[in-house]
Amino acid sequence: MAELAGNLLVAQSGGPTAVINASLAGVLQEAGRHECIEEIYGGLNGILGILNEELIDINEQKARTIDGLRYTPAAALGTCRYKIDFKKKPEQAARDMDRLFEVFQAHNIRYFFYIGGNDSQDTSHKIHLEAVKRNWDLRVIGVPKTIDNDLPHTDSCPGYGSVIKYNAATVMEIGFDVGGMATDDGSVCIVEVMGRAAGWIAAGTALAKRSAACPPHITLLPEVPFREEKFLARVKEVVEQNGYCLVVVGEGLKNEKGEEIGADRTRVDAFGHPVLSGAAEALGDIVEAKLGTKTRTVKLGYAQRAAAHFASATDANNAYACGVAGVKGAVEGQSGFMVKIVRTTGANGAIQWSTGLQPLGDIANVEHFIPRDWIAEDGFLPNEKFFEYARPLIEGEVKFPIDSGLPKYVALEPAKIEKKLPARA
Amino acid sequence: MAELAGNLLVAQSGGPTAVINASLAGVLQEAGRHECIEEIYGGLNGILGILNEELIDINEQKARTIDGLRYTPAAALGTCRYKIDFKKKPEQAARDMDRLFEVFQAHNIRYFFYIGGNDSQDTSHKIHLEAVKRNWDLRVIGVPKTIDNDLPHTDSCPGYGSVIKYNAATVMEIGFDVGGMATDDGSVCIVEVMGRAAGWIAAGTALAKRSAACPPHITLLPEVPFREEKFLARVKEVVEQNGYCLVVVGEGLKNEKGEEIGADRTRVDAFGHPVLSGAAEALGDIVEAKLGTKTRTVKLGYAQRAAAHFASATDANNAYACGVAGVKGAVEGQSGFMVKIVRTTGANGAIQWSTGLQPLGDIANVEHFIPRDWIAEDGFLPNEKFFEYARPLIEGEVKFPIDSGLPKYVALEPAKIEKKLPARA
């Protein structure tokens, strides 16, 4: 494959993670090593910023800042939820695609990296196909990112190891708290975690279990339909045994009819509209009403995916390696692939991490769930197969500088590239 | 004062903190240095366990375990909410007091340390007065503990520095997350923190502000009555300026009528009973309904007070020092005091921490709130006076061992002392 000279554009998309910037650092630092890559641009707020020709100049950034991305959470370039939607909005999508290639051509973009989850891989795939169709020599590589861990073909998704490391530590700590306060009357604590329709994050908190009596006692995974009676019986049993019960619930938990828990509530807002409460609140109400046990809830929300202060070094290193591998692959002539993480377990059990490339067409719109045989028969906890998989992902801690007692994260300079096109219509 | 020989009993009470065990370690390690202290006992689950004669033998614990208490969150001895209530239940209280002294006499308890907040200091005070009345030679010292930071006469309360260090880091991280996702439509994130009627914890998250544009943009303190119109106007303004607005709300926020926010809701549970939602949920509903801005909530709950994985070394050291000082004071003959933390600022601005003793009668049932002149005129953020006070409290990080990627905390052996009394009536 002939060497392709030109500029590089990288952008981030979707919900941020503790290590999405580590992938960005990987792309940027590797890009600096290749002469064929001339200018290096970052697109602000994903595809949306690119459509608006909002690009920043990475060569104006300090090397120290780029290095700091390896421990800085959330999307330093900004992200978006904008989707080029050929199915529902074909005309808008066609206009967007035209505009995107106008931007690529105006700035001689020959390398395009999009760091994101399912939707973003789909976008990358479409851009790759368009480039071929339009005969614009462009190397497109998707870099995986999602705390939800639901991308197929990769061992794991950058962001996942860190979210479960932080969440497991948090559940362990909450367990010490609730366990220490449990007296005769017993108590229940319900912790809601993210993960949408997949239970990977909820299951990951079970890494906190040092023994059967340790919390979490129940992990409610969206993969297993919720059955109220069975759940209440289990909570009652655990409270009788331990004095308390710590439950972790994945936000996307559904009942046997496929309805989300927390969505069938009779709660109304100031305007009389029904309001959807979270799964933890809904379950807390059920436990208090049916078992009469004091129940507290925790909703970690965005805190969990941004918790760089207790991120997994394994995860951050894999995230960085994905960025590096993407650039290497593109320089070598590859396009239309997503970087994937590959795990090799040696004879002594030692794990080696490497990367590979998977055609984007295999990724887009495929969701990867926890296999049923990785979950205990009663559905309430993951089993050893899951633990074997998840344990290595939380190894090691990311180091970060501290200033006046708090993490000192970095921010990119808003060194914007001069626009060359008329404003987007 | 003549030397008093006998046994020591220590117990923990109320909501745990990240450093309540550091105070326990201080008591236990200092107690080991004094020959007049013969046996060292821990009361399980505070006063409740003592009434039930549930004591464990600290001399059966490994030195390594006691040392590990310095970084282990929550109450290693267990806590309770049980109160000897002379006002509402005078007969039960009199019976409890008799029983308590039966236990003290049966086990020759001559030193009693109670680690806790307002209620616990009140209990310690009553026990001290009773001992004098009953002519039982007993040295009673209260050791301060509360994340709420609402005890009077002490510079700060052990537990507070750690909760605001973790919460400020978390708010900073959430700010990176929400800020990076903010596109044209803007967004709001509301983080609910603890602190009951005091705004110390909510105000402490403002330590995350590295500049005026940095989050948190608004801290809603229970000390300042909530006014919806003014709040919404400020949120709108911040979103227009920054693209997003991060609000921190203290759980005990009240409106001008003194009603708690989140308590005047039209929400009903499965049984048709009104349900109290949290302050963050209530505010989120208001913002979404009135401003139409996408709003997310985070409720850190117990996670914040148990977060030993990012605890303040200054706080943990002060907590430890309080335990040590309590034992020293008692051995020297003091009784009926609470240990307090004293801050001395040198000419060069360097801070020195020491301890003192304050009569328990000065502490009990007095709540300490943020002075109004430590809060900005508009009421939405603390000012420099608060920052000067709070900054030193989050300095330094507590080190802890890690096993398989997660903190390795310790637990006491349940080495119970043989009961000498008939069961409690």
Side-chain angles (χ1 to χ4, degrees):
Chain A
M1 173 79 59
E3 188 180 276
L4 176 63
N7 300 331
L8 178 151
L9 177 59
V10 57
Q12 298 172 305
S13 181
T17 78
V19 302
I20 181 172
N21 285 333
S23 292
L24 177 60
V27 168
L28 299 179
Q29 292 184 335
E30 183 61 26
R33 293 186 193 107
H34 298 276
E35 285 200 7
C36 58
I37 297 173
E38 292 160 356
E39 298 298 329
I40 305 174
Y41 301 143
L44 294 182
N45 290 107
I47 217 76
L48 190 62
I50 302 174
L51 290 170
N52 291 322
E53 212 189 343
E54 302 271 356
L55 313 182
I56 64 166
D57 191 345
I58 299 299
N59 286 319
E60 287 291 319
Q61 310 295 328
K62 292 177 189 163
R64 191 191 305 281
T65 305
I66 304 300
D67 225 43
L69 293 174
R70 295 191 71 162
Y71 54 75
T72 296
L77 290 171
T79 80
C80 67
R81 292 266 181 216
Y82 191 82
K83 197 179 169 181
I84 300 183
D85 195 338
F86 280 94
K87 274 192 191 148
K88 289 187 192 153
K89 297 176 181 172
E91 282 170 32
Q92 180 65 49
R95 278 200 302 275
D96 283 348
M97 209 43 106
D98 286 344
R99 171 74 180 182
L100 218 50
F101 278 85
E102 279 166 34
V103 174
F104 288 168
Q105 285 162 19
H107 296 278
N108 194 31
I109 304 300
R110 298 296 181 171
Y111 295 90
F112 178 62
F113 299 88
Y114 208 30
I115 311 171
N118 252 303
D119 282 351
S120 315
Q121 304 304 333
D122 185 39
T123 303
S124 296
H125 187 219
K126 291 200 173 101
I127 292 173
H128 165 69
L129 297 176
E130 281 286 321
V132 172
K133 208 168 77 181
R134 289 166 193 247
N135 214 13
W136 177 256
D137 209 349
L138 180 72
R139 311 266 166 89
V140 180
I141 302 280
V143 180
K145 174 278 333 176
T146 172
I147 58 166
D148 299 339
N149 205 39
D150 60 354
L151 288 169
H153 298 291
T154 181
D155 169 83
S156 44
C157 302
Y160 176 61
S162 292
V163 76
I164 61 172
K165 182 184 181 83
Y166 166 80
N167 280 1
T170 300
V171 163
M172 180 186 275
E173 290 172 339
I174 293 174
F176 271 79
D177 186 301
V178 181
M181 291 193 77
T183 47
D184 295 348
D185 37 348
S187 64
V188 174
C189 184
I190 303 177
V191 181
E192 179 174 327
V193 299
M194 289 179 152
R196 297 192 301 177
W200 291 105
I201 296 179
T205 64
L207 290 169
K209 287 185 89 66
R210 299 293 197 201
S211 73
C214 281
H217 304 104
I218 298 174
T219 56
L220 296 173
L221 314 176
E223 283 85 349
V224 182
F226 175 71
R227 289 166 58 194
E228 188 176 307
E229 304 280 299
K230 216 180 134 197
F231 166 69
L232 288 171
R234 183 79 189 114
V235 170
K236 196 160 174 271
E237 189 181 25
V238 173
V239 171
E240 279 163 9
Q241 278 166 8
N242 293 302
Y244 76 108
C245 179
L246 198 156
V247 179
V248 174
V249 56
E251 61 182 356
L253 186 69
K254 291 184 185 68
N255 64 19
E256 287 167 299
K257 292 181 204 157
E259 300 158 341
E260 281 196 11
I261 304 303
D264 55 344
R265 305 291 306 284
T266 50
R267 182 177 162 202
V268 289
D269 68 13
F271 293 79
H273 304 135
V275 172
L276 306 187
S277 72
E281 286 291 322
L283 291 175
D285 291 350
I286 292 171
V287 171
E288 288 219 326
K290 301 284 173 72
L291 298 183
T293 313
K294 182 182 154 186
T295 305
R296 290 286 176 272
T297 60
V298 175
K299 184 178 158 191
L300 293 171
Y302 289 164
Q304 67 199 287
R305 69 183 189 194
H309 76 269
F310 200 59
S312 157
T314 299
D315 186 34
N317 291 342
N318 281 344
Y320 183 82
C322 285
V324 170
V327 174
K328 281 187 178 162
V331 168
E332 285 164 11
Q334 307 289 356
S335 184
F337 292 90
M338 182 188 84
V339 182
K340 64 180 175 184
I341 295 170
V342 178
R343 169 195 318 225
T344 319
T345 309
N348 60 355
I351 285 169
Q352 284 211 308
W353 300 102
S354 58
T355 57
L357 294 176
Q358 188 79 27
L360 279 166
D362 298 351
I363 307 290
N365 305 318
V366 181
E367 278 179 294
H368 176 53
F369 295 104
I370 306 183
R372 184 60 184 87
D373 69 337
W374 287 21
I375 303 170
E377 222 171 297
D378 68 8
F380 286 135
L381 281 171
N383 64 23
E384 189 51 32
K385 285 183 189 170
F386 173 83
F387 288 125
E388 235 173 74
Y389 164 77
R391 252 185 232 118
L393 299 174
I394 66 167
E395 284 288 349
E397 292 72 51
V398 173
K399 303 283 174 287
F400 55 91
I402 288 189
D403 178 23
S404 305
L406 294 175
K408 193 178 177 186
Y409 298 131
V410 301
L412 294 172
E413 289 294 323
K416 287 201 186 169
I417 297 292
E418 204 182 321
K419 294 188 183 187
K420 298 186 176 181
L421 297 172
R424 179 181 172 214
Chain B
M1 174 77 61
E3 188 181 275
L4 176 63
N7 300 332
L8 178 152
L9 176 60
V10 57
Q12 299 172 305
S13 182
T17 78
V19 302
I20 182 171
N21 285 333
S23 292
L24 178 61
V27 169
L28 300 180
Q29 293 185 336
E30 183 61 27
R33 293 186 192 106
H34 298 276
E35 284 200 8
C36 58
I37 296 173
E38 291 160 356
E39 297 298 329
I40 306 174
Y41 301 143
L44 295 181
N45 291 108
I47 217 76
L48 190 63
I50 302 174
L51 290 170
N52 291 322
E53 212 188 343
E54 300 272 357
L55 313 182
I56 64 166
D57 190 346
I58 299 300
N59 287 319
E60 289 291 320
Q61 310 295 327
K62 292 178 187 161
R64 192 191 305 281
T65 304
I66 303 299
D67 225 44
L69 294 174
R70 294 190 72 163
Y71 54 75
T72 296
L77 289 172
T79 81
C80 67
R81 293 266 182 215
Y82 191 83
K83 199 181 168 179
I84 301 183
D85 196 337
F86 281 93
K87 275 193 190 149
K88 289 186 192 153
K89 298 178 183 170
E91 283 171 30
Q92 179 65 49
R95 276 200 304 275
D96 283 349
M97 208 45 105
D98 286 345
R99 171 75 181 182
L100 217 49
F101 278 83
E102 279 166 35
V103 173
F104 288 168
Q105 285 162 19
H107 296 278
N108 194 31
I109 303 300
R110 297 296 181 172
Y111 295 90
F112 177 63
F113 299 89
Y114 207 30
I115 311 171
N118 252 302
D119 282 351
S120 315
Q121 304 304 332
D122 186 40
T123 302
S124 296
H125 187 220
K126 291 200 174 101
I127 292 173
H128 165 69
L129 296 176
E130 280 286 322
V132 172
K133 206 168 80 183
R134 290 169 192 245
N135 214 14
W136 176 255
D137 209 349
L138 181 72
R139 311 267 166 88
V140 180
I141 302 280
V143 180
K145 172 281 332 174
T146 170
I147 58 166
D148 299 339
N149 204 40
D150 60 354
L151 289 169
H153 299 290
T154 181
D155 169 82
S156 44
C157 302
Y160 176 61
S162 292
V163 75
I164 62 172
K165 182 185 180 82
Y166 166 80
N167 280 1
T170 300
V171 163
M172 180 187 275
E173 290 172 339
I174 293 174
F176 271 79
D177 186 301
V178 181
M181 290 194 77
T183 47
D184 296 347
D185 38 345
S187 63
V188 174
C189 184
I190 302 176
V191 181
E192 179 175 327
V193 299
M194 288 180 153
R196 297 191 302 177
W200 292 106
I201 296 178
T205 63
L207 290 169
K209 285 185 88 68
R210 299 293 198 201
S211 72
C214 281
H217 304 106
I218 298 173
T219 56
L220 296 173
L221 315 176
E223 283 86 349
V224 182
F226 176 70
R227 290 167 58 196
E228 187 177 309
E229 303 279 298
K230 216 178 134 199
F231 166 69
L232 288 172
R234 183 80 189 113
V235 170
K236 196 158 174 270
E237 190 181 24
V238 173
V239 171
E240 278 163 9
Q241 279 165 9
N242 293 302
Y244 76 107
C245 179
L246 197 155
V247 179
V248 174
V249 57
E251 61 182 357
L253 186 70
K254 292 184 184 71
N255 65 19
E256 289 167 297
K257 292 180 204 159
E259 300 158 341
E260 281 194 12
I261 305 303
D264 54 346
R265 304 294 304 287
T266 50
R267 183 178 162 201
V268 290
D269 68 13
F271 293 80
H273 304 135
V275 173
L276 306 187
S277 73
E281 286 290 323
L283 291 175
D285 290 351
I286 292 170
V287 171
E288 288 219 326
K290 301 283 173 75
L291 299 182
T293 313
K294 182 185 156 185
T295 305
R296 289 287 177 271
T297 61
V298 175
K299 184 179 160 191
L300 293 171
Y302 290 164
Q304 67 199 287
R305 71 183 188 194
H309 75 268
F310 199 60
S312 157
T314 299
D315 186 34
N317 291 341
N318 281 343
Y320 184 82
C322 285
V324 170
V327 173
K328 281 188 176 163
V331 168
E332 285 163 11
Q334 307 289 356
S335 184
F337 292 90
M338 183 188 83
V339 182
K340 63 180 175 184
I341 295 169
V342 178
R343 169 196 319 226
T344 318
T345 309
N348 60 356
I351 285 169
Q352 284 211 308
W353 300 103
S354 58
T355 57
L357 294 176
Q358 187 79 28
L360 279 166
D362 299 350
I363 307 292
N365 305 318
V366 181
E367 276 179 296
H368 177 53
F369 294 104
I370 307 183
R372 184 58 183 88
D373 70 336
W374 288 20
I375 303 170
E377 224 170 296
D378 68 7
F380 287 134
L381 281 171
N383 65 24
E384 189 51 32
K385 285 183 189 171
F386 173 83
F387 288 125
E388 236 174 73
Y389 164 77
R391 252 184 232 117
L393 299 173
I394 66 167
E395 284 288 348
E397 293 71 51
V398 174
K399 303 284 174 285
F400 55 91
I402 289 188
D403 178 24
S404 306
L406 294 175
K408 193 180 178 186
Y409 298 131
V410 301
L412 294 172
E413 289 294 322
K416 287 202 185 168
I417 297 292
E418 204 183 321
K419 295 188 182 186
K420 297 186 175 180
L421 297 172
R424 180 181 173 214

